[in-house]
Amino acid sequence: MTERNGYAVTVGFFDGVHTGHRFLAEHLKKVAAERGLMSRIVTFEEHPRQVIQSDYRPMLLSEPQDKIRRLQETGVDLCTQLHFTKEMAGMDARSFMEHILRDRLGARCLLMGHDHRFGHDCITDFGTYRKLGEQIGIEVVRSEAMKIGDLPVSSSRIRHCLAEGDVSSAAELLGYPYAVTGTVIHGMQNGRRMGFPTANLDLRCKLLQIPKGGVYAAWATVQGETFKSMLNIGFRPTIGDNSTTRTIEAHLLDFDRDIYGEELTLRFVRFIRAEHRFDSLDSLAVQLQSDRMTVSNVL
């Protein structure tokens, strides 16, 4: 089989590369094999809506490099990342299929996700895509939805879970624990004074979806090693600094190293409690001791 045979392709942003995306990739490989084609996933460097709507700020589930790595791990023959331009945004469905998919990327078959739509003309009927494909020499096939709990898996559903602090359900839908990565920076040192030194995280990707504020059990990986951690997301209401900046800080259990400037990855496991204001730092310290025991037991 050579590249001249052409490709079976599927197109999408694939944020998070969740279980639904991997289900689609498996279907793509099957469709390609049945037709003697190579399999090709086509995605975009920027969220298409960012180009169409300049003030749109996506809440991403994966950093760009992690997304590409996970797509490649699906085992498709080729993963192609395109710049989504204003010119592309202005294309109707036929033009995109003909000039981008067929002529530029060698598509002979297009596998469409169950809810995927594209083109400036906003076609909603799958039959229309199929007819357009017949006119320009691309077979169009539709994939079924991957469902968990009677509902389709989707990036928006995962973002909703994270916004509610339900990191366990998010992990089930993703197929892996949700994670954030950043550099350890200096904080206010309040945790250290209470006996709970924390690693404050400056996120590598500022567009990532941050789970609901509160305390979480999480795995922390730094310098190639992984530790239990008690993770807090919030505004430190008990400290009383009236900060409007949300912090992400992790207390690593049984850990005593200087890791300022190091890269740290936090993988969420379970929501422990909501953030709230305590009457005193002593009361907060008592609660943190209880939280640390809970986290240790969870992990």
Side-chain angles (χ1 to χ4, degrees), residues 35-104:
R35 290 157 177 78
L37 301 171
M38 298 179 74
S39 56
R40 186 173 203 163
I41 287 178
V42 179
T43 189
F44 304 100
E45 291 188 30
E46 47 281 299
H47 196 292
R49 195 171 159 190
Q50 285 179 278
V51 176
I52 298 169
Q53 185 181 335
S54 60
D55 61 347
Y56 175 68
R57 186 181 185 277
M59 293 280 93
L60 301 179
L61 300 175
S62 54
E63 298 185 38
Q65 65 269 31
D66 288 336
K67 182 176 79 169
I68 295 302
R69 173 180 57 82
R70 290 186 185 279
L71 287 173
Q72 291 171 337
E73 288 172 353
T74 64
V76 297
D77 292 309
L78 192 62
C79 178
T80 300
Q81 188 170 223
L82 303 177
H83 279 299
F84 191 84
T85 62
K86 289 186 177 181
E87 179 185 10
M88 199 177 291
M91 287 183 168
D92 58 25
R94 180 183 177 122
S95 295
F96 181 78
M97 291 171 68
E98 184 174 6
H99 301 302
I100 303 297
L101 297 185
R102 188 193 69 184
D103 298 345
R104 181 172 165 184

Side-chain angles (χ1 to χ4, degrees), residues 148-167:
I148 293 179
D150 296 326
L151 292 173
V153 178
S154 68
S155 298
S156 59
R157 183 180 172 191
I158 295 167
R159 281 191 287 271
H160 176 75
C161 288
L162 294 174
E164 295 296 317
D166 189 0
V167 294

Side-chain angles (χ1 to χ4, degrees), residues 88-288:
M88 199 177 291
M91 287 183 168
D92 58 25
R94 180 183 177 122
S95 295
F96 181 78
M97 291 171 68
E98 184 174 6
H99 301 302
I100 303 297
L101 297 185
R102 188 193 69 184
D103 298 345
R104 181 172 165 184
L105 300 177
R108 300 294 173 261
C109 178
L110 169 63
L111 177 65
M112 293 184 62
H114 73 101
D115 61 348
H116 187 220
R117 306 288 183 269
F118 61 86
H120 186 65
D121 41 349
C122 301
I123 297 171
T124 58
D125 175 47
F126 173 76
T128 302
Y129 289 104
R130 179 174 286 164
K131 289 177 182 177
L132 288 174
E134 290 172 353
Q135 294 168 12
I136 63 176
I138 295 178
E139 179 188 5
V140 181
V141 180
R142 180 162 52 183
S143 182
E144 297 301 318
M146 164 71 177
K147 293 185 178 181
I148 293 179
D150 296 326
L151 292 173
V153 178
S154 68
S155 298
S156 59
R157 183 180 172 191
I158 295 167
R159 281 191 287 271
H160 176 75
C161 288
L162 294 174
E164 295 296 317
D166 189 0
V167 294
S168 301
S169 293
E172 181 183 14
L173 297 170
L174 283 165
Y176 58 88
Y178 186 65
V180 297
T181 297
T183 303
V184 178
I185 59 173
H186 288 276
M188 302 288 292
Q189 305 294 320
N190 292 300
R192 181 173 296 278
R193 285 191 285 271
M194 289 187 291
F196 296 89
T198 60
N200 290 260
L201 205 63
D202 180 24
L203 288 183
R204 186 168 61 189
C205 177
K206 309 301 185 186
L207 296 178
L208 283 182
Q209 172 79 49
I210 304 303
K212 172 185 175 180
V215 177
Y216 293 84
W219 291 108
T221 300
V222 62
Q223 296 176 333
E225 296 183 69
T226 298
F227 303 88
K228 295 179 179 180
S229 74
M230 177 172 69
L231 167 61
N232 184 79
I233 297 174
F235 299 93
R236 300 176 298 204
T238 305
I239 304 302
D241 59 2
N242 297 316
S243 175
T244 58
T245 302
R246 179 168 52 184
T247 60
I248 301 173
E249 47 189 338
H251 170 68
L252 279 59
L253 280 60
D254 303 315
F255 182 88
D256 185 20
R257 292 185 204 166
D258 181 353
I259 53 172
Y260 290 119
E262 296 285 344
E263 185 175 89
L264 176 70
T265 296
L266 296 167
R267 299 196 306 279
F268 292 81
V269 176
R270 188 181 302 175
F271 180 78
I272 303 300
R273 66 169 176 85
E275 182 183 51
H276 61 268
R277 183 183 180 88
F278 290 86
D279 294 334
S280 66
L281 292 181
D282 289 340
S283 297
L284 174 58
V286 170
Q287 181 62 56
L288 291 177

